[in-house]
Amino acid sequence: MEYENITEFILLGLFSNADVKTPCFVIFSLCYLAILSGNLAILLTIRGSHLGEQPMYFFLSYLSFMDVCFTSTVAPKLITDLLVQWNTISFSGCVSQMFHAHFFGATEIFILVAMAYDRYVAICRPLHYVVIMSRRACYILVMASVIGALMHSLMQVLIIIQLPFCGPNQIDHYFCDIFPLLKLACTDTRLLKIIIVTTTGVLSILTFVALVISYIIILSTLRTRSSEGRRKALSTCGSHITVVLMFFLPLIFTYVPMADSVSDDKVFALFYTMIAPLFNPLIYTLRNADMKNTMRKVWGPHKLLEGT
């Protein structure tokens, strides 16, 4: 049997109630501006100061960059679609959005793992820290994150482009993702769902468990440190643990269960596409004295006066 593939999809969005769309347009627009300004401020602060020489902040600058890119693949269309009646997206545009969302999201996951490894080496093997976490090693970890994310994203795209889509064409989500698209395919996708859960879902769980174990080891090592050393280490590790929890838990709830309704998935997706990138700059600045002091130096009134 031959299928006539559809050429565009309709995104049903977050809400069906038209009364909440205008207030949400304002809220999400302000959130997106805050995400851009907050993460770019961190990125420029690190790149414009001595902090960029330290591996932890080197990775943090890339994490902020990924936050901007990840949210920018989803937020602009989510915001503009709140003002229109029919939220259409072409098939190629849908596949492109899915690829970039998975690419930037997976890169962010791998960078979070690299940051956890950096903290492990700094606290558990301090005498070898400079050698292990050299600038070359940091670049290798970032490149490995990008390559791993690229392979993951290409797998998602290859799964979708070989499927027939003959209708209906309404995606029950606010952006193009793999599970909502599989629901619209005109063929049996049960095996593909198992493959995706095995790769994306289980990988997310294993990564999360590995991160938790690494921080248990780190926290147990801190018991032998001085009170000042413990305080500083707990401050940086606490920030990272908070970000990991905010990002991974909604991700796991999205890609591990396969419920018939994706209404919960849309709420969970909102956490890792909008809420986590919004709070990351606050978490890393409010709990980090070095970051706050450097931001005062880089963005303080004297800098503004020098520029005038």
Side-chain angles (χ1 to χ4, degrees), residues 3-267:
Y3 297 102
E4 183 178 345
N5 268 9
I6 56 178
T7 58
E8 68 176 17
F9 295 103
I10 297 172
L11 292 167
L12 297 182
L14 267 175
F15 314 103
S16 57
N17 187 351
D19 294 334
V20 302
K21 288 188 175 182
T22 301
C24 286
F25 169 80
V26 176
I27 293 170
F28 288 140
S29 297
L30 293 175
C31 287
Y32 183 51
L33 289 174
I35 289 168
L36 292 180
S37 57
N39 283 287
L40 288 175
I42 286 183
L43 176 61
L44 295 174
T45 299
I46 293 172
R47 295 299 173 89
S49 68
H50 67 283
L51 288 180
E53 300 169 5
Q54 302 178 41
M56 182 179 75
Y57 296 103
F58 173 83
F59 291 127
L60 179 56
S61 67
Y62 279 98
L63 183 69
S64 295
F65 180 63
M66 286 302 117
D67 271 339
V68 170
C69 295
F70 184 36
T71 304
S72 295
T73 63
V74 176
K77 182 153 185 62
L78 166 64
I79 292 166
T80 55
D81 284 352
L82 289 169
L83 298 179
V84 297
Q85 184 68 29
W86 290 102
N87 314 324
T88 59
I89 185 170
S90 66
F91 180 83
S92 58
C94 188
V95 172
S96 175
Q97 186 186 50
M98 185 186 71
F99 169 82
H100 287 97
H102 278 266
F103 174 70
F104 293 125
T107 305
E108 189 163 343
I109 287 173
F110 293 134
I111 288 176
L112 285 170
V113 173
M115 293 175 74
Y117 177 68
D118 169 70
R119 291 299 84 203
Y120 168 79
V121 176
I123 294 171
C124 299
R125 303 187 63 185
L127 298 178
H128 303 92
Y129 180 72
V130 176
V131 176
I132 295 174
M133 296 306 298
S134 64
R135 183 45 57 102
R136 181 173 178 269
C138 291
Y139 278 118
I140 289 173
L141 286 172
V142 170
M143 286 304 300
S145 300
V146 171
I147 293 170
L150 182 63
M151 293 172 61
H152 164 77
S153 305
L154 287 175
M155 186 193 75
Q156 311 293 311
V157 170
L158 291 174
I159 287 174
I160 291 300
I161 60 175
Q162 53 88 32
L163 290 175
F165 293 93
C166 53
N169 66 339
Q170 293 184 340
I171 300 176
D172 189 12
H173 216 297
Y174 61 90
F175 72 98
C176 290
D177 203 6
I178 187 80
F179 280 150
L181 281 171
L182 287 178
K183 290 179 179 291
L184 302 183
C186 302
T187 185
D188 187 1
T189 59
R190 282 176 294 182
L191 179 60
L192 292 175
K193 288 179 180 178
I194 293 172
I195 293 172
I196 293 165
V197 168
T198 303
T199 55
T200 306
V202 175
L203 181 63
S204 298
I205 292 175
L206 292 177
T207 305
F208 179 69
V209 170
L211 288 171
V212 170
I213 292 172
S214 70
Y215 277 104
I216 291 173
I217 296 171
I218 289 170
L219 293 174
S220 64
T221 305
L222 287 176
R223 290 183 300 178
T224 61
R225 301 294 175 87
S226 64
S227 58
E228 178 63 22
R230 278 202 305 269
R231 187 195 61 77
K232 189 170 183 180
L234 284 171
S235 176
T236 55
C237 290
S239 301
H240 192 247
I241 291 170
T242 305
V243 170
V244 166
L245 290 173
M246 287 182 64
F247 192 86
F248 270 91
L249 291 181
L251 193 70
I252 290 170
F253 282 122
T254 300
Y255 288 101
V256 173
M258 292 187 296
D260 291 334
S261 173
V262 294
S263 57
D264 291 337
D265 290 354
K266 289 190 284 188
V267 176

